[in-house]
């Protein structure tokens, strides 16, 4: 059984039972009865503790009497104090001998095998000794106790660990030699491990100890070099759940670590950017270069990019213009990362980044910028133009005159550079043009420059490039300008079967939808849909067959869904829609029947949340339904015999009431037989007017010339579609929707019963009057007929009209 540690931890130094050398009487102050620290002699020859005798003299004066000697009570003429140097040295030597013996006794129990009671008592006694004076801390170090206390950090007992952390903090406090001793070996790593401890007391004591060590500048690098140390401290300093003292100490420790340049980069990597930015702003050119190189290697969060741009954006732009080639390269690398965020891009644009970027890109001759740096400049420019900035309003000086990025000569220079550089810069500059054409306002300016430079052919060549990123950028660019250059693109693409073949190879390449496939589909979908020559080329290439299969594979899950699937599916639908504009062509017609396009697009019509897909689907159904009257198979009646002249022929079963023949969705695209009417009617309540317009257009095919209009009206009535169509008219939507609604309502009102019922509805009459008053000539004529159906206008006889014409 381990013997108990017999040490006194109180301040009564007269207790000498535990020590071999008792305090001499001369060491004791008569007033405090304690061993003196600063003995002084007064006029009477008596010796006291300095603070105690000063207090005595003060009390004498406060009581209205002259100072006296506390022992002899003799009045003193003088209160002068004479230091007893010899006695003080003797006391110090006694104390040192006493503390050495105390520490020797404590040392016995500073082991991992000691009991909790003895270990904690020993550590507590070391703390008490160290708190007496600085010499005691040196004594603890000289007697080799620090490594023993460090070992106690590995104790399995939490109380022992807590007391060891406290002891090390007291030992290191304001003692640089002790700090260095504490930090020897793996101690700092051990202390940092405590920062992740589940017990907050250990975390708080550990970070307090770490703070003490960090006050010694040579140790800052050692602390920062421990893997994860800075990240843990940053997390603790920003924690909302941590003890407030621990948070403050963590923050103070980080401020100390900032003094070491080696810690700046790991701090920045862990979100603490201000030390780096401060040195970048205030440092020498050499320090600035070092900080920029650190910055160029960081991957920043978006809020950090915005912070960096606002704090050091101007100085980085200045270095781009005036720095050495090494500094400019590091700066461009940093700006490439910083500019990849919309907010930071706008900040850099406001700080004037465009002029140096453009000058670097277009530099030639002796001032020519190295290609690797031009690539960085192009990457930054690509980031900037994709920031949603109003490029047409941002003017800057270039070659002695004010221009914008959309100025014709700037765009011409970009186009020229694209055709005369390597793949890396080609890709970045294509991305620049993609960003410049993302908005309608800037796209028109770029398109004008593309036209005037005749660059469309060279741009199309890039869809055949070896590098995938170049192909993707080229496809996106051509897709962006197709709305303005549709015929030109159609001619250029159609003039080379090779280009169309390349696009189809991309689209059919894999069952995983890629960005390149989506861009290729979107480009083809954006080309003029009624261009018959391009449609024929696509058909001859088997493009429609490939796309129909792709659409089916998406439906059945063969092609896995990802972030591109919506645009990809809409694009395929729009390309397939092309063939329905020429559905009277026999091979197009056979294709539509073979792949049952009517049913395919009827299913797509029900895809909620994809308005464009619903618009295309309704448009396809309208185009197909227009052909139903020509495709329906009218039964041949048997020849009438003499005996059957006066008898009624037997009715033929299974005939379509609207087309008076045998119909189906697959073979004749009949909306009625395909049960599409109800689904189209449901779309009339859509918030998107384009969906309403397309769906109404498809329904109108049941009321068109060449079909049984009366039966078409009754088909809509049976499907509860009359009221929704009337509501579309009343809601006074866009001009295009109103024209279709007026046309449909006029045909519906040809049924007298419906006309009589509607005539009492004031809102419908008002809508027809408004169409009659404000519509174009054709709409006014149709509205006039509709108003006559509901007796809102008189119906004059033909004789009257002849008189009027005469």
């Amino acid at each position: 059984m381990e013997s108990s540690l017999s040490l006194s931890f109180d301040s009564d130094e007269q207790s000498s039972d535990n020590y071999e050398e008792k305090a001499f009487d001369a060491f004791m102050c008569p007033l405090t009865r304690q061993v003196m620290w600063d003995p002084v002699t007064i006029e009477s020859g008596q010796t006291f503790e300095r603070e105690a005798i000063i207090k005595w003299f003060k009390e004498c004066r406060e009581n209205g009497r002259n100072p006296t000697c506390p022992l002899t009570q003799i009045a003193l003429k003088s209160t002068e104090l004479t230091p007893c140097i010899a006695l003080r040295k003797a006391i110090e030597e006694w104390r040192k001998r006493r503390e050495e013996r105390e520490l020797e006794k404590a040392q016995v129990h500073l082991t991992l095998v000691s009991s909790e009671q003895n270990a904690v008592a020993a550590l507590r006694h070391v703390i008490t000794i160290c708190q007496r004076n600085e010499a005691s801390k040196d004594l603890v170090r000289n007697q080799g106790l620090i490594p023993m206390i460090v070992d106690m950090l590995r104790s399995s007992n939490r109380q022992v660990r807590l007391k060891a952390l406290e002891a090390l903090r007291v030992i290191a406090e304001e003692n640089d030699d002790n700090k260095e001793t504490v930090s020897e070996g793996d101690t700092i790593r051990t202390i940092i491990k405590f920062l992740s401890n589940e017990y907050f007391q250990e975390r708080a004591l550990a970070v307090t100890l770490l703070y003490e060590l960090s006050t010694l500048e040579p140790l800052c690098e050692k602390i920062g070099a421990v893997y994860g140390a800075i990240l843990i401290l940053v997390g603790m300093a920003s924690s909302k759940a941590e003890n407030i003292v621990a948070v403050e100490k963590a923050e103070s420790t980080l401020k100390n670590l900032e003094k070491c340049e080696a810690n700046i980069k790991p701090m920045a990597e862990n979100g603490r950017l201000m030390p780096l930015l401060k040195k970048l702003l205030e440092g020498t050119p050499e320090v600035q270069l070092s900080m920029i190189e650190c910055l160029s290697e960081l991957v920043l969060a978006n809020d950090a990019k915005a912070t960096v741009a606002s704090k050091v954006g101007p100085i980085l732009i200045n270095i781009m213009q005036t720095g050495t080639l090494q500094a400019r390269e590091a700066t461009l690398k940093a700006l490439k990362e910083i500019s990849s965020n919309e907010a930071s891009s706008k900040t850099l644009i406001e700080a004037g980044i465009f002029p140096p970027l453009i000058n670097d890109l277009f530099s030639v001759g002796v001032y020519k910028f190295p290609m690797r740096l031009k690539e960085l400049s192009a990457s930054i420019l690509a980031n900037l133009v994709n920031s949603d900035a109003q490029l047409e309003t941002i003017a800057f000086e270039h070659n002695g005159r004010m221009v914008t990025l959309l100025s014709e000569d700037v765009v011409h220079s970009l186009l020229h550079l694209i055709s005369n550089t390597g793949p890396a810069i080609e890709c970045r500059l294509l991305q620049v043009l993609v960003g410049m054409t993302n908005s309608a306002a800037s796209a028109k300016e770029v398109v004008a420059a593309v036209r005037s430079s005749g660059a469309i052919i060279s741009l199309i060549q890039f869809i055949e490039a070896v590098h995938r990123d170049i192909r993707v950028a080229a496809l996106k660019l051509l897709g962006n300008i197709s709305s303005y250059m549709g015929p030109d693109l159609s001619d250029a693409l159609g003039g080379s079967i090779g280009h169309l073949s390349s696009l189809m190879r991309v689209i059919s390449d894999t069952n995983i939808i890629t960005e390149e496939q989506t861009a290729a589909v979107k480009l083809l979908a954006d080309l003029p849909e009624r261009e018959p020559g391009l449609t024929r080329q696509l058909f001859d290439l088997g493009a429609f067959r490939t796309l129909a299969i792709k659409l089916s594979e998406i439906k059945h899950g063969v092609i896995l869904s990802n972030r591109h699937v919506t645009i990809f599916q809409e694009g395929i639908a729009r390309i397939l829609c092309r063939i329905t504009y020429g559905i009277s062509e026999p091979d197009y017609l056979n294709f539509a029947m073979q792949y049952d396009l009517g049913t395919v697009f009827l299913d797509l019509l029900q895809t909620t949340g994809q308005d464009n897909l619903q618009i295309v689907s309704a448009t396809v159904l309208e185009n197909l339904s227009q052909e139903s009257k020509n495709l329906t198979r009218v039964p041949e009646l048997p020849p009438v015999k003499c005996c059957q002249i006066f008898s009624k022929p037997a009715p033929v079963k299974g005939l379509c009431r609207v087309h008076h023949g045998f119909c189906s969705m697959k073979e004749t695209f009949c909306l009625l037989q395909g049960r599409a009417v109800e689904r189209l009617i449901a779309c009339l309540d859509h918030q998107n007017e384009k969906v309403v317009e397309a769906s109404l257009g498809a329904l109108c095919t049941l009321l068109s010339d060449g079909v049984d209009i009366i039966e078409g009206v009754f088909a809509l009535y049976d499907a509860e579609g009359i009221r929704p169509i009337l509501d579309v008219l009343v809601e006074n939507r866009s001009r295009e929707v109103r024209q279709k609604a007026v046309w449909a309502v006029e045909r519906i009102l040809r049924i007298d019963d419906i006309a009589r019922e509607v005539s009492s509805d004031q809102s419908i009459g008002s809508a027809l009057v408004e169409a009659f008053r404000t519509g174009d000539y054709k709409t006014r004529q149709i509205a006039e007929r509709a108003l006559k159906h509901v007796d809102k206008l008189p119906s004059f006889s033909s004789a009257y009209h002849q008189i009027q014409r005469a």
Side-chain angles (χ1 to χ4, degrees):
M1 186 72 127
E2 187 178 357
S3 62
S4 177
L5 179 65
S6 305
L7 290 176
S8 173
F9 303 116
D10 57 34
S11 60
D12 186 4
E13 299 190 50
Q14 297 184 73
S15 299
S16 56
D17 295 339
N18 299 312
Y19 310 105
E20 293 128 5
E21 184 180 358
K22 295 182 179 180
F24 294 102
D25 290 341
F27 293 176
M28 310 299 291
C29 173
L31 288 174
T32 64
R33 300 184 182 280
Q34 300 289 329
V35 177
M36 292 181 285
W37 291 93
D38 188 10
V40 292
T41 301
I42 63 174
E43 186 182 42
S44 66
Q46 301 296 323
T47 301
F48 302 91
E49 177 70 63
R50 180 185 292 274
E51 289 185 4
I53 192 63
I54 290 174
K55 182 179 178 183
W56 170 265
F57 290 158
K58 181 180 179 183
E59 290 175 352
C60 288
R61 294 189 185 95
E62 288 175 351
N63 292 331
R65 55 191 177 86
N66 292 326
T68 61
C69 174
L71 292 180
T72 64
Q73 298 300 316
I74 297 174
L76 302 175
K77 295 179 181 178
S78 170
T79 58
E80 183 179 353
L81 305 178
T82 304
C84 298
I85 297 174
L87 179 58
R88 186 170 66 186
K89 287 186 176 181
I91 292 172
E92 288 175 354
E93 291 176 358
W94 173 83
R95 274 202 172 92
K96 184 177 180 182
R97 291 192 301 272
R98 180 175 180 271
E99 288 176 352
E100 286 176 353
R101 286 192 292 273
E102 288 177 338
L103 291 174
E104 287 172 1
K105 289 176 179 277
Q107 193 170 2
V108 174
H109 299 283
L110 292 178
T111 66
L112 294 175
V113 296
S114 297
S115 67
E116 175 189 338
Q117 179 182 358
N118 287 338
V120 171
L123 290 165
R124 186 181 294 119
H125 194 62
V126 172
I127 292 170
T128 303
I129 291 173
C130 289
Q131 288 173 334
R132 290 173 183 167
N133 54 53
E134 286 302 308
S136 299
K137 295 182 181 181
D138 293 335
L139 184 61
V140 169
R141 181 183 70 254
N142 293 333
Q143 289 198 207
L145 266 70
I146 292 177
M148 300 180 70
I149 297 172
V150 168
D151 283 343
M152 301 302 284
L153 295 177
R154 297 187 291 111
S155 172
S156 60
N157 186 281
R158 188 156 66 94
Q159 295 303 319
V160 173
R161 296 195 302 271
L162 289 170
K163 194 55 69 176
L165 287 167
E166 182 184 355
L168 289 172
R169 191 263 305 166
V170 173
I171 290 168
E173 201 169 28
E174 297 181 359
N175 192 306
D176 291 350
D177 291 334
N178 283 0
K179 287 181 174 69
E180 290 184 349
T181 305
V182 169
S183 67
E184 289 176 354
D186 208 33
T187 306
I188 290 178
R189 186 182 302 275
T190 302
I191 295 168
I192 289 170
K193 286 181 180 178
F194 279 99
L195 300 183
S196 301
N197 197 287
E198 60 179 311
Y199 300 108
F200 76 90
Q201 298 101 324
E202 292 185 63
R203 295 197 301 273
L205 285 170
V207 74
T208 304
L209 170 57
L210 201 62
Y211 164 73
E212 287 298 335
L213 297 178
S214 70
T215 58
L216 184 62
E217 194 165 331
L219 295 183
C220 289
E221 184 172 357
K222 192 171 184 180
I223 294 171
V226 175
Y227 181 74
I230 289 176
L231 175 58
I232 294 171
L233 285 168
V234 168
M236 184 176 282
S238 59
S239 173
K240 303 293 183 182
E242 192 60 77
N243 177 279
I244 184 64
V245 175
V247 170
E248 291 174 354
K249 288 297 181 184
E251 179 63 31
S252 299
T253 303
L254 287 167
K255 286 189 178 298
N256 289 337
L257 297 185
E258 291 173 10
K259 300 171 187 175
C260 174
E261 190 170 310
N263 292 330
I264 299 298
K265 182 180 177 183
M267 283 186 175
E269 288 173 339
N270 291 293
R272 197 175 177 91
L273 284 165
M274 291 312 298
L276 185 150
L277 302 182
K278 184 178 179 182
K279 283 187 175 293
L280 201 161
L281 288 168
E282 301 173 357
T284 63
E286 292 75 17
V287 171
Q288 285 183 333
L289 176 58
S290 176
M291 293 301 102
I292 293 172
E293 287 175 341
C294 286
L295 190 59
S296 69
E297 296 173 8
L298 298 178
V299 177
L300 302 173
N302 285 334
D303 56 344
K305 293 173 188 175
T307 299
V308 173
S310 63
K311 296 289 184 183
V312 300
I315 194 170
L316 292 176
I317 293 170
N318 182 59
I319 292 172
M320 282 176 61
Q321 298 169 292
T322 61
T324 64
L325 193 62
Q326 182 185 4
R328 293 169 77 183
E329 182 170 5
T331 301
L332 289 171
K333 287 179 179 177
L335 286 169
K336 178 183 176 182
E337 172 67 15
I338 297 165
S339 63
S340 60
N341 166 257
E342 185 171 326
S344 57
S345 286
K346 290 181 177 179
T347 301
L348 293 173
I349 291 172
E350 292 171 2
I353 194 173
F354 274 148
L357 272 183
I358 296 300
N359 289 335
D360 289 346
L361 275 173
F362 298 158
S363 60
V364 294
V366 290
Y367 302 106
K368 187 175 181 180
F369 215 37
M371 278 300 175
R372 70 179 188 280
L373 302 192
K374 284 195 175 189
E375 180 186 348
L376 289 171
S377 297
S379 298
I380 297 167
L381 189 57
N383 288 339
L384 296 174
V385 298
N386 280 285
S387 66
D388 198 30
Q390 301 298 313
L391 299 177
E392 64 275 10
T393 65
I394 303 170
F396 55 90
E397 187 175 349
H398 178 61
N399 290 338
R401 64 190 189 88
M402 297 303 293
V403 297
T404 71
L405 203 59
L406 302 173
S407 297
E408 187 175 56
D409 57 342
V410 174
V411 179
H412 282 174
S413 296
L414 287 172
L415 293 168
H416 176 75
L417 191 58
I418 290 174
S419 301
N420 293 277
T421 56
I425 300 181
E426 285 174 353
C427 180
R428 301 307 178 199
L429 293 177
L430 284 169
Q431 290 170 350
V432 169
L433 292 175
V434 170
M436 292 167 63
T437 54
N438 276 336
S439 74
S442 58
K444 292 178 181 177
E445 303 290 337
V446 176
V447 166
V450 170
R451 274 206 175 99
S452 63
S453 65
I456 190 65
I457 299 298
S458 60
L459 290 177
I460 288 177
Q461 300 300 322
F462 287 114
I463 69 176
E464 309 270 3
V466 175
H467 298 277
R468 176 186 169 277
D469 289 344
I470 293 178
R471 297 197 304 270
V472 171
L475 288 168
K476 287 184 176 180
L477 172 60
L478 294 173
N480 284 353
I481 65 177
S482 62
S483 299
Y484 311 94
M485 301 186 69
D488 298 315
L489 277 173
S490 292
D491 291 343
L493 288 169
S496 171
I497 294 295
H499 291 322
L500 291 178
S501 298
S502 297
L503 290 176
M504 290 313 303
R505 277 197 303 273
V506 168
I507 293 169
S508 59
D509 185 42
T510 176
N511 284 338
I512 299 175
I513 304 172
T514 65
E515 185 181 19
E516 183 180 6
Q517 285 180 307
T518 305
V521 163
K522 185 177 182 301
L523 171 59
L524 285 178
D526 286 339
L527 296 176
E529 56 194 5
R530 296 176 184 268
E531 174 59 48
L534 185 60
T535 302
R536 171 54 63 183
Q537 282 188 299
L538 288 170
F539 185 85
D540 292 342
L541 277 172
F544 295 113
R545 177 181 177 278
T546 299
L547 295 173
I549 293 172
K550 284 283 183 184
L551 209 53
S552 176
E553 288 175 342
I554 292 173
K555 176 182 177 181
H556 294 99
V558 176
I559 294 179
L560 301 179
S561 178
N562 59 20
R563 63 190 176 95
H564 301 298
V565 68
T566 298
I567 298 176
F568 188 72
Q569 188 180 37
E570 288 178 2
I572 289 177
R574 289 172 60 198
I575 298 170
L576 286 173
C577 181
R578 300 179 65 93
I579 205 170
T580 65
Y581 288 107
I583 196 65
S584 59
E585 295 272 350
D587 42 5
Y588 295 174
L589 182 61
N590 290 334
F591 173 85
M593 291 179 180
Q594 179 183 354
Y595 287 94
D596 197 6
L597 290 190
T599 301
V600 168
F601 281 93
L602 182 57
D603 290 339
L604 292 177
L605 181 69
Q606 300 176 90
T607 308
T608 57
Q610 291 183 237
D611 293 3
N612 291 336
L613 193 57
Q614 288 182 299
I615 293 168
V616 175
S617 299
T619 302
V620 168
L621 291 174
E622 177 184 1
N623 293 343
L624 295 176
S625 181
Q626 289 282 15
E627 194 65 17
S628 294
K629 59 192 175 187
N630 301 322
L631 298 175
T632 188
R633 185 165 56 84
V634 179
E636 293 183 6
L637 297 177
V640 180
K641 298 179 181 179
C642 293
C643 60
Q644 296 175 327
I645 292 176
F646 300 103
S647 62
K648 186 177 181 180
V652 180
K653 295 182 179 180
L655 296 182
C656 172
R657 61 198 288 192
V658 175
H659 301 112
H660 296 305
F662 294 108
C663 286
S664 69
M665 176 59 89
K666 184 175 183 179
E667 295 182 354
T668 67
F669 317 123
C670 178
L671 299 182
L672 200 59
Q673 298 301 317
R675 301 184 181 279
V677 177
E678 292 82 357
R679 299 178 191 180
L680 288 166
I681 289 171
C683 291
L684 297 180
D685 193 38
H686 204 284
Q687 292 183 342
N688 188 326
E689 289 190 352
K690 294 293 184 181
V691 176
V692 175
E693 181 185 354
S695 301
L696 185 57
L699 290 171
C700 285
T701 61
L702 299 176
L703 307 175
S704 63
D705 296 335
V707 304
D708 191 327
I709 297 175
I710 294 176
E711 287 297 333
V713 172
F714 284 128
L716 292 174
Y717 181 85
D718 292 342
E720 299 182 357
I722 301 299
R723 175 48 61 181
I725 293 174
L726 295 173
D727 289 341
V728 170
L729 173 67
V730 171
E731 286 169 5
N732 194 24
R733 297 186 179 231
S734 66
R735 181 175 59 85
E736 293 79 7
V737 175
R738 185 174 63 178
Q739 286 176 343
K740 279 189 171 67
V742 169
W743 185 91
V745 168
E746 188 276 326
R747 301 221 161 192
I748 290 170
L749 294 180
R750 293 179 185 182
I751 307 300
D752 291 340
D753 290 342
I754 296 177
R756 279 193 296 272
E757 184 176 344
V758 167
S759 62
S760 61
D761 191 327
Q762 186 63 40
S763 61
I764 295 173
S766 298
L768 290 172
V769 169
E770 182 67 15
F772 176 71
R773 189 175 65 85
T774 62
D776 58 21
Y777 177 74
K778 185 176 180 180
T779 302
R780 290 184 63 194
Q781 280 189 317
I782 298 171
E784 179 182 1
R785 290 199 299 270
L787 287 168
K788 290 177 180 178
H789 294 323
V790 292
D791 296 331
K792 296 293 183 181
L793 281 176
S795 182
F796 298 106
S797 67
S798 57
Y800 176 81
H801 286 293
Q802 291 173 2
I803 294 172
Q804 289 293 94
R805 284 196 296 270

